[in-house]
Amino acid sequence: LVAVLGLLLPGIAGIAAAQSAQPQWPNVLARLELSGLSPRVVTGTSAPVLRITGRVVNVGDRPITTLGVRLQRDEPVISDAAAARALKGLSESPHVTRFQPLPGELAAGQSRPFQLEVPLRGAELTSLHISEPGVYPMVITLDGESDAGGLTRLASAPLLVPVLGIPPATQIGRAHV
């Protein structure tokens, strides 16, 4: 774990690297711009909640509504190749949290800050359900709806979160605008 962590910390410290890994589709309607991750390295004395801050940007030409963000995580990475795949957004991330709504409509060209808080431990869907140390691939996803179609994934941003120790559990996560 220490060797993998040593190799990954330079990439983890720059959340901008995760943003550049967002898929670029021709009909992209939104973008996630991540600005903060706390704690950057989880220890037994860290806050028991992972906090991600950033902005949702409507880069399309239509308003988007019914916005929601959530975190998804995969099992800890065990190789450099697995870490590289995760930062490219290619991990499976089968452990999901509930979508946390972001209120209101986002008009074309508008952006809005958000803060997503998710407990590290706890029940499925309300937490990341992390119970052991490791370097965890995660994906923050934004879903929403436009007049072009129904509810769909609008954007995602992969990141790696090193967990050196497990803090005590806390309450249900939430998103703030």
Side-chain angles (χ1 to χ4, degrees), residues 84-138:
R85 281 192 308 276
L87 287 174
K88 290 179 183 176
L90 302 176
S91 64
E92 292 186 24
S93 303
H95 303 279
V96 299
T97 61
R98 285 190 178 109
F99 276 101
Q100 298 173 19
L102 299 175
E105 177 179 289
L106 197 59
Q110 281 189 328
S111 67
R112 175 179 304 140
F114 73 90
Q115 178 175 297
L116 177 64
E117 295 179 353
V118 180
L120 296 164
R121 295 180 51 200
E124 295 283 339
L125 297 179
T126 60
S127 80
L128 291 168
H129 203 62
I130 293 176
S131 60
E132 62 187 45
V135 179
Y136 287 86
M138 296 191 194

Side-chain angles (χ1 to χ4, degrees), residues 9-63:
L9 276 177
I12 295 166
I15 293 176
Q19 293 173 7
S20 67
Q22 287 190 96
Q24 298 300 314
W25 298 296
N27 297 324
V28 173
L29 297 177
R31 182 176 66 235
L32 284 170
E33 295 177 351
L34 305 183
S35 59
L37 173 65
S38 177
R40 288 186 184 259
V41 176
V42 178
T43 67
T45 59
S46 295
V49 173
L50 188 66
R51 181 175 294 118
I52 299 174
T53 56
R55 297 187 75 72
V56 174
V57 181
N58 182 340
V59 296
D61 59 357
R62 314 176 170 137

